[in-house]
Every structure is written in C-alpha cells, then in structure tokens.
Amino acid sequence: MSRVIPRLSVHRGVVAASGFLVESGLAGDLEARRRILALWTPGTRVYRLPEGWLVLLPRPVAVDCGRAPGLPLVEAKTSGGRVLLALPLTSAELAAVVAGDGAVVRLRGGKLAVDRPSPAESEDPAAWLGVEGFGVVETAPLGELPAEPQVQEDTAPGFDPRAHLPGVPPADPRLRDVLAALGKTKPAGTAAGRRRPRTSRGGAMAHWLHGVGSTLWGLLRKQAPAGQGEPREPVPGGLAAPSLAGRIADALHRVASRMVLASRLSRLVGRRHAAYIQRMMEMFERGDVQEALRLAIPLGGPTGDALRGLPLRRPSRRQDLRIRPRETRTWAVVGLAPDLFTELQRLYRETFRRLESQERIEEAAFLLAEVLHANEEAVAFLERHGRLRLAAEMAEARGLAPGLVVRQWFLAGDRKRALRIARRTGAFADAVTRLERGRQPGEARELRLLWAEALAQGGDFAAAVEVVWPLSGARGLALAWMDRAIGQGGPSAGRMLARKLAAVPEQFEKIRDQVIEMLESWRAEGAAARLAFADTLRQGPRTPEAMTLARAAVRAIARDSGRLGARMPPAEFRQLVHFAGDGSLRADAPALPFAPRTAWAVKDDVWRVEVAAADSGTLPVYDAAFLANGLTAVALGEAGVRLVSRSGRTVAEIDQPAHRLVVSDRGDRALTLARRGDSWRVARIDIPSRKAELWCDARIGAFAPDYDGFLWLVSSEHGLTAVETKGQRFDGPWGVPDLPGSVLAVARSASHCSVVIEGSSPEVWTWELPSFTLRSRGAVSPPPPEDELHSRHRAVAPDGTLTEQSIGFAAARQLALKLHVHDRFELDIPLPGEGWASEPAVSAAWIASPVHGPEGTRVYLTHVETGRVRAEVALARAGRVTLRLTPQDFTVVDDRGRVVILDLEHGQMRRDLRI
C-alpha cells in the first residue's frame, strides 16, 4: 500500500458522501460535536477515532467538498468489500488497497492509512446533550393543535331484536348453555358421527312408535278407494287437504319424531338439553308463543350447521329399484324430518304464519330475523306493515346489501344517513333501482337528484348529467353541469358537447366553435376527447346541426387513426361517415383500420430525455400535475401554486403554500400540502374559479397523491382513514384505526386502494372501492439475497403490486439499480456511476425509479408487462425530484425549475417547461 501515490489528497467538487471524518484537533471538541449533531439523522452511526469522530450516514448525501462539515467519505468497492475513501483513487490504486469491509481509507502523513472502526468505539451523541439542569414547563398552544384523521362516529342505533320489537320476551337463561352445547356437537359425517351408538330405551321406544305409525299408515292406505291412492278433500286454490286418516298418521309420526329427537340428542348433547329442545318444540306446537320465543334456538351460523348434523334416523335399504309412477309417501313428507334443523324450520314457519294472521307483527318479525335468520324477508315484512325505521335499522345492523340499506333509510325519512351510506359504499344506483322497482317514483326521483348532486360535489359533472337526465324537470340543472364538464376537458368534455348539441340545438353557433377548436387540434392529449365526441354524436339524433359537425369529426378521427393508430372500430367509423350524410365524404373517407402501429412501449429503442445543467428555471418546483383541460398545476413551495398553459405562460397564481399537490380524478380541484414541522398545512383549490381556502393543519403520514373529488385516503400512526374533503373537520365515514403497523405507502384508483404496512411482518392490504371491501391481505415475501449497498425502498400500485428497489451490484460486479416486482420479474439496471435510490412511483403498468448521483438525477421508467426499461430521464445537477405517475402520464419535477411530462400512451413529450 505504501507504493500507492494518489493524485489528490482529498475529494473536490460535489460528491455523494456516505460519511464524514470530523477532526477535533482542527475545530475543537465542542465545535466537532456540534457539527455531528447537525449531521445526525435516524440511522446515523458515530465512532470515536484518535483524531476525532467517524460519522456514517444511513444513506449518501450530495455535498460540496469546499463546504463540508468534515472530510467527506465516498463509498467504493474493493476485493475485500466496501470501503470509505477520503480521497479519489483510480481503479488500479483501489485494487492495491488492502482493507476489509467497512474500513476507512485516508491520507495520513503523505501515506495511505486504513482505519477499521469497531463496535467498542461506538458513541451515542445523545450522551453529549446535558439536560439535567432543564425543568419541564407545561405550555399551552396559542392556536389549534394539528388535526388527526378521525373516523366519523356512527350514530346508527344498535339493533337488538328482543329490545326493539315490543312484545318479544327476553331470552331464557338456559338458551346460552344449549347453544354452546350445540356449537361443540360434531356434525354427521365426522368420525364421531359415523359410530353407531348403543340403542337407548328412548331410542327403542322411538323405533317402536315408528313401526306402529308405519303399520297404521299402511292399513289406512288400504282402506282408500282403489285408484285414488291418498284420499284428499278439495280445498280452495286447487290444493288437496289430507284426509282424516292422513291427519291421524301425521300426528303419530310427529310423536315418533319427538321421541327420536329426544333419544338422539340424549346421546349427543345431553339429556337436559334434549329435554329443553323437546319442551320448546311442544310449546310451539300448542301455540304458547310467548314462552316458546324465550326458548327459541336460532337457525343461522354455527348453530344451524350443528342442527343440520343431528340425524333422526338411519335410511333403510330399498327393496327394489323399480320406478313408481305415483309419488311414495315418506316420513320426511309427513313431518319426520331428516335433521333437527328442518323440523325446527317447519315449526317456526307455521308459527310465523299464525302470528301474521293474528296481526302480531313484532313477534312475527322476530321469528323471521332472529330465529329463522331470514333477514331480507324480515325487512320486507316490517316495511309491508309500516315499521319503516325498524326495517332500516335491521337492514343496516344485519349487513344487508348497501343498496337495500340506503333504500330503507330513505323510506324511513332519514335522508342524511341514507346519503352518507350511499356515498361511502357507492350504492346509489342499486338504491335508485330498488326504489323504482318498488313502485316508489317520488322517493326514486328524490334519491336520483341527491345522487347527481353528490357526483357534482365530487367533480364528476358528466356522470351527474347522465344520472339526472331521465328527470325532465331537471334539464336546466343538467345543462349547467354540462358546461362544467366541458370546462374540465378530457373525454367527458367531448361526450357532453355532443349531448348538449342534441339537447339545445338553438346554441349551435357557440357549440360549433367549441367543437371545431377541439377537432382541429392535432395534439395527442385531445385524441380521447375527439373520439368521445364522435362516438356520442353518431348515437344521437340525426339533425342537420349534428350532421354538419359529423363531417369534421370524420376528418379528425381519420387523422388521429393515421398518426396515433386506429382508435375507432371500422364498423363504428362507417356509421359515423354515413351519419354525416355527405356523398363525397363517403367516397373519399379512408377505410379503417390503417396499418397497425407498433406501440412505443414494446420497441427496442429506449426513449431518452436529457436536460443539461444550464437548461433550468429560476424557481425550485416541488410538485406538478397535468390537468385534463391542458393546464399544468405547479407547486412552488411557499410561493404558492401556478397554473401554466401549454406554451409555458402563467394563467393564474394561487396564494396557498404548496410542497405537494393532491389532485382530483377530474382535475378540477386539488389539495395543497405545505410542510409545517411534523404536520402539514392543507388548503383546498377550485381550479375553474381559481379560488382557494385554508382547510386545516393536520398530522398525517403517508397519503394518496390523488382522490375522487370527495374522499382522500390518508394514514395516521397506525391507521388509514378516508377523509371527506368537503367538510370542515378532518374526518371521514370510513377508516381502519388499528392496522398492525405504520403505513409506508398509499395508492388508489377508481376501483382499488392498497397500502404497504411496516410492522413485525410487512404486509400489503388491498380494498375494493367504492365499497371499501377488503379483498386481499398478504405478507411481503422477501426478495432474493442481494449485495445491497443502501436501504431498500418499497412502493405499491393500486391493485396491490409491490415494488422494491435498492442499489446493489449486478452479476458483472457493476453498480446497478436492483428492481424487484413481487410475483412478476426482477431487473438489474446498470448505472453509469455512483448513486443512491429514493422512493419509486408505481402504477398498474409502469414503475419510475429515481437514482441520484453527483452529476444529477436519472429516472428509469420500466414497463411492468415487458419488464424492460422503456424511458430514461436525465436531469443534470438536480438534487431533489418529485415523481407523479398515472396510467396516462409521467411527471417529473426537480429543484432547478424543470417540469417534464411524458405521454405514456403515445410515447410523446407532453410538456417540457421551465419555471
């Protein structure tokens, strides 16, 4: 090592420092410790050396060597392992260095020296802080404390059928013991159930009665007139009533069944419980309903399964295999059920019909809901008899279909609760359909209006128009929402323009100008709107105004098909041409589809975007979002939010500090988040009106970068909450407050939401939206072992696809970005130099991986389906970047005022702005 003569004694310029040597001889112990405390972050390690302290950082940081708090140490790889270099060395010089893993190589006295810190030399900087002389003083904040996300309290009353239904007596104290015994009973078919027990005295008596009943039935059948089989008495409705002989036989069979039940249950659940069940059944038979309801055994859940597993008798062997034309009467037909469940069900149903005929509504409803567990039937029964609120409470408490619950609360007159449940579960359509089918047009109309207003409040004006359009008296409201949807841009704007043309043809001139401006645009970002307009137009009325604009639509669709690939099916394109009613156009219109275009995501060439160091703006950009109307919202930190046009011109400035943006799905509203210590200052922006208002200061963890216009998913210390963005409080109708760990990442789409939970065992949870139904919960499987340099970063897509990335070494010992997508693929992306990774961005189809280094930042865009890097964005001298990834766009901004937006559908540069 002594023969190694380095060219430089220390690093120069900007380097990625993994640690520092802070010498106390130059600055003194006090100043050295101050510098170390200023460097300290969670995960930092400090070691005592003879000349001072060695500080090892959890991850590299870019530092200017001329302004460093100590001697910068840069990580490098040697044959002996990873080392920290205090000076630059060539590969040949590095190969001559003999140092173990974790050693520090520096220049001392003109020669290379190697220090190897040991755990015994580790120091805790917390011990340097003397707090003995400080006293604790209770303080009171001058303002409001930051809000924590809370789940709104559920004001729905609990539903206990015995307490809510007048006339139903309390349960017998012995009922709990019987249910517990039945729950421990092994059903038939198990090993215990197949063993043939000894025949008890009660069992012998039951079989004797069984034989007597069979003999008597046979004698009675022989007395019947020839050719009639079973004598019947005509009754109204075409049914036949059993004869006197049949009724006598039925009575005998019921007595036999009681004996069989008692004998079997004596062996299975105990004589006391058997006597309990026999007593209960006798009470139902003789009409002592009040006392029988106290003893009634419910037929739902594990109890019902246990009752089904208690056989009453063993099937007998058939004498022959002849097919008999006339139906043979069996014991099950006359009342000896094959299991206790069926026998109880028959008794309960007979009692229910008797109670209903006697107008004992509450007791009948109790039988349906609590005993028979026919919940939907019980709700319909209560509604039919005018107990509307009771029906709504039962429907919600029993977890019935959300649409049914909404309908019942609406009929009960509690519109507020019905609206809240419908918003939380997305059950508006089902509830409206149920009201319309139930012949309640007034309530259906009112709920449809509330549904449309809820959609409009969330920014989905196009859907609101579709919902309210069947109501002829609400066309004025629908037209106002049409204009709002057109102003949002995107496919909904094209669809609403076509609808408005058919609804108000007198405004043709104004609509024509808007349509022509949209159709003559050649930008790929407007292709979806042009297609939506043409498709909606051809399905509408064929008026002269519509035919005129259809000719322009034919030309626009043909142009987009040639440039961007066929986007309209050929049959539908021919319908559009025919709809235009122009013979010349019909003759000249090209036949679709054109030659298929190769999607850019599967081409061999990698799309590279490089921005030079001198090509920068004047303000640091913290976040940006591309909006459907063509504007770009740019977050400038304390300078607020700026709306920028396609050409880079500032359209509006909004005076709300913003380090992050949370944009609605329709792009017409947004939330701004500004860092305030360990909390965020949250404000709301209405983009069309350019208005903003402060909402609150909130203490939150991870959060979704977008929302549906109404509910925003945020995490707290150990929970997840869907916060209502239209309210004054920081709370919402749904949440999981007790997750098994802290939430690292949240991702959502219109149909799913997923989170990564860091606990004792990392997990990924996925819910289905808008019902918030948990669909999957799985532990994170560890990736294959790797030679890892830095900490691993995880991100998740809305569908639950988990991505992990880190910096390591590929097979050729070259530094690489290691990408691991669980259950899909693994990828090593070679790096041009040293670097470290930060948090990736993930969507269902793409993964954006940022890598930082001394020269700037590179972002690698990987296509999930092919597992290949399809684009690379290099931002020279960029220190901090923020990524936003949607199925259509990829946005990257940095601290040098650059905003780059890529069109992921067509492989085009959408925006390249300097702020």
Side-chain angles (χ1 to χ4, degrees), residues 861-915:
L861 199 60
T862 305
H863 192 224
V864 174
E865 183 178 351
T866 60
R868 299 170 58 191
V869 176
R870 305 312 314 135
E872 178 182 338
V873 181
L875 303 173
R877 302 297 296 275
R880 171 192 49 77
V881 299
T882 303
L883 310 179
R884 182 178 295 271
L885 191 60
T886 69
Q888 296 81 28
D889 309 312
F890 170 57
T891 303
V892 55
V893 302
D894 66 5
D895 54 357
R896 297 178 63 83
R898 300 145 169 167
V899 179
V900 177
I901 305 177
L902 307 183
D903 183 348
L904 299 181
E905 187 175 3
H906 305 102
Q908 297 181 3
M909 177 72 73
R910 182 157 283 181
R911 297 289 184 270
D912 188 11
L913 307 174
R914 303 295 177 266
I915 307 301

Side-chain angles (χ1 to χ4, degrees), residues 105 138 193 212 225 355 419 498 555 560 606 673 685 695 711 728:
V105 180
E138 295 292 337
V212 171
L355 291 173
L419 188 60
R555 299 184 181 94
D560 289 346
V606 177
L673 282 73
I685 299 178
W695 184 7
L711 295 178
Q728 295 302 317

Side-chain angles (χ1 to χ4, degrees), residues 165-404:
L165 294 171
V168 178
D172 190 280
R174 294 168 293 178
L175 178 59
R176 181 180 301 177
D177 297 335
V178 175
L179 295 179
L182 286 174
K184 298 177 182 178
T185 302
K186 292 185 179 181
T190 61
R194 286 194 300 267
R195 288 200 300 267
R196 186 176 180 179
R198 280 185 314 179
T199 303
S200 64
R201 183 177 301 176
M205 177 63 70
H207 286 294
W208 178 81
L209 289 173
H210 186 285
V212 171
S214 299
T215 303
L216 180 58
W217 174 247
L219 293 174
L220 292 173
R221 286 198 62 185
K222 290 179 180 179
Q223 296 174 3
Q228 293 184 6
E230 302 174 9
R232 298 283 178 175
E233 300 173 1
V235 297
L239 300 178
S243 63
L244 176 61
R247 289 196 296 270
I248 295 175
D250 287 348
L252 289 174
H253 287 245
R254 280 197 293 272
V255 173
S257 68
R258 296 295 179 272
M259 297 298 297
V260 174
L261 287 172
S263 63
R264 295 290 182 177
L265 288 174
S266 296
R267 294 192 298 271
L268 292 173
V269 299
R271 294 183 181 275
R272 185 177 61 178
H273 297 150
Y276 176 96
I277 295 176
Q278 186 172 4
R279 179 188 174 199
M280 176 199 67
M281 298 175 73
E282 290 174 353
M283 289 179 180
F284 273 112
E285 286 285 357
R286 66 172 179 259
D288 188 1
V289 178
Q290 277 288 317
E291 188 62 26
L293 289 180
R294 298 184 71 238
L295 304 175
I297 297 175
L299 299 185
T303 303
D305 295 336
L307 292 173
R308 289 179 186 274
L310 298 179
L312 296 184
R313 67 179 179 87
R314 187 177 57 192
S316 59
R317 180 176 179 274
R318 285 187 173 88
Q319 298 297 325
D320 54 60
L321 300 179
R322 289 187 298 113
I323 299 177
R324 294 168 174 81
R326 197 177 303 277
E327 182 182 1
T328 303
R329 189 177 180 91
T330 64
W331 288 102
V333 172
V334 298
L336 185 58
D339 52 46
L340 181 58
F341 181 94
T342 307
E343 177 66 14
L344 290 178
Q345 192 177 48
R346 183 191 65 79
L347 284 175
Y348 294 159
R349 282 290 175 182
E350 288 181 356
T351 306
F352 166 74
R353 287 190 289 269
R354 186 163 60 248
L355 291 173
E356 184 181 16
S357 65
Q358 297 171 1
E359 296 293 331
R360 298 165 68 176
I361 305 304
E362 286 78 9
E363 293 168 291
F366 176 84
L367 263 178
L368 284 176
E370 186 67 11
V371 182
L372 285 166
H373 277 260
N375 295 315
E376 291 194 14
E377 186 180 354
V379 170
F381 177 77
L382 288 171
E383 178 190 335
R384 191 166 62 249
H385 290 84
R387 275 53 164 196
L388 299 179
R389 184 168 185 86
L390 195 57
E393 293 175 359
M394 180 183 292
E396 183 175 1
R398 293 301 171 91
L400 300 186
L404 177 61

Side-chain angles (χ1 to χ4, degrees), residues 701-724:
F703 54 86
D706 47 29
Y707 69 114
D708 63 359
F710 186 73
L711 295 178
W712 176 36
L713 290 163
V714 300
S715 68
S716 54
E717 184 176 1
H718 289 292
L720 182 71
T721 306
V723 177
E724 284 187 3

Side-chain angles (χ1 to χ4, degrees), residues 45 236 242 249 375 381 446 483 486 615 774 864 884:
R45 293 170 293 165
N375 295 315
F381 177 77
E446 185 177 354
D483 293 334
I486 293 170
D615 186 7
L774 183 63
V864 174
R884 182 178 295 271

